Amino acid sequence: MLFNSYEFVLLFAPISLMVYFYLNKCRLVLASKSWLVICSLFFYSWWNVRYLPLMLGSITFNYAVGTFLQKIKTRNSRYILIFGISVNIVLLGYFKYADFFIANVNLLAGASLPPQHIILPLGISFFTFTQISHIQPRSATKGVATSIG
């Protein structure tokens, strides 16, 4: 579904917004936020539902790492941050560059590894870097990123 498609303009956006504003009018703030999350995941999976578990897994992982970093205040939190960022970069690298590396290994080593023909998930760079920014530790008083260590 594209932003300029009939199903988005005439169905998805109006229904999503009407339900969201209705829930807010009834002072059901958590329900309205949950509705937006469900609508967002539905919109994302409209293109290819096979990537919905990837999105949900990525969200869950980054939320867990970010929450864990908020709770601990030790020097070892640097390693957890590095781990969280590394997992995100490896995931992004796999989807964007796996076939590139396979082709180069085949070329340089004379191997015949078959390319994976991985279809790049829609917006993977955007949501990966957005989630990396979520796991950055925040200062409790200023709300800005701080250095660890």
Side-chain angles (χ1 to χ4, degrees):
M1 172 178 355
L2 300 173
F3 288 114
N4 61 351
S5 67
Y6 289 119
E7 56 264 356
F8 179 83
V9 173
L10 299 176
L11 289 174
F12 181 78
I15 292 170
S16 299
L17 291 172
M18 283 189 297
V19 171
Y20 171 74
F21 286 118
Y22 175 76
L23 291 171
N24 271 331
K25 184 179 178 183
C26 295
R27 299 188 189 275
L28 300 170
V29 177
L30 182 60
S32 66
K33 290 178 183 180
S34 299
W35 172 254
L36 284 183
V37 169
I38 291 167
C39 289
S40 297
L41 292 172
F42 177 80
F43 180 78
Y44 182 79
S45 64
W46 182 272
W47 173 68
N48 192 342
V49 75
R50 292 184 312 173
Y51 291 118
L52 184 60
L54 170 69
M55 176 70 84
L56 292 172
S58 181
I59 290 169
T60 303
F61 172 78
N62 286 296
Y63 179 78
V65 171
T67 302
F68 188 67
L69 279 173
Q70 291 295 319
K71 290 182 180 179
I72 63 168
K73 301 292 183 201
T74 66
R75 296 194 96 226
N76 292 333
S77 61
R78 172 186 330 172
Y79 301 113
I80 296 164
L81 177 63
I82 291 170
F83 172 73
I85 293 171
S86 298
V87 168
N88 281 288
I89 298 299
V90 166
L91 181 71
L92 181 63
Y94 170 75
F95 280 101
K96 290 190 92 163
Y97 301 111
D99 282 340
F100 171 75
F101 286 120
I102 290 172
N104 281 306
V105 166
N106 286 341
L107 181 68
L108 295 174
S112 60
L113 300 170
Q116 299 296 310
H117 301 293
I118 299 168
I119 297 174
L120 195 62
L122 190 63
I124 190 167
S125 296
F126 174 76
F127 75 74
T128 299
F129 288 117
T130 301
Q131 291 181 54
I132 286 174
S133 71
H134 169 74
I135 64 173
Q136 298 293 322
R138 310 265 185 245
S139 169
T141 57
K142 297 181 182 175
V144 296
T146 59
S147 62
I148 296 179

